[in-house]
Amino acid sequence: MWKYTARVDGMMCGMCESHVNDAVRKAFPVKKVTSSRSKKETVVLSETELDEAALRDAIQAAGYDAGEIRKEPWEKKGLFGR
């Protein structure tokens, strides 16, 4: 699995976070997406690699500014770190 962390500016409230999450879910078949206005970021977990330009476009189409996107391998951690 892959973890993408996108810098997102312009989120002011919980509804803004929901709008960004919905935009990402509509654009990609992701496992999980969470946004944080305080951290100014959206984190996406996906089983397949995503087109970073398309991810940025989806966020911008929702009316928010998408900046740097970091990609890293992600592995679910089990109970007690197994």
Side-chain angles (χ1 to χ4, degrees):
M1 288 194 40
W2 296 96
K3 176 182 174 182
Y4 292 84
T5 304
R7 169 83 180 182
V8 180
D9 288 318
M11 293 186 290
M12 301 293 177
C13 63
M15 284 306 298
C16 295
E17 295 168 346
S18 293
H19 288 148
V20 172
N21 293 346
D22 290 344
V24 171
R25 283 189 194 103
K26 286 179 186 173
F28 302 100
V30 299
K31 287 298 251 181
K32 184 175 181 179
V33 57
T34 56
S35 295
S36 169
R37 64 185 177 270
S38 60
K39 292 181 182 178
K40 296 185 177 183
E41 69 180 21
T42 295
V43 177
V44 180
L45 297 180
S46 176
E47 290 183 343
T48 59
E49 292 187 61
L50 305 180
D51 179 339
E52 292 181 28
L55 177 57
R56 188 175 287 108
D57 289 346
I59 294 168
Q60 290 176 338
Y64 303 92
D65 294 323
E68 175 193 11
I69 298 175
R70 294 186 318 271
K71 172 185 153 188
E72 59 189 291
W74 185 84
E75 225 177 87
K76 184 174 181 178
K77 304 283 191 288
L79 191 59
F80 305 113
R82 293 184 188 172

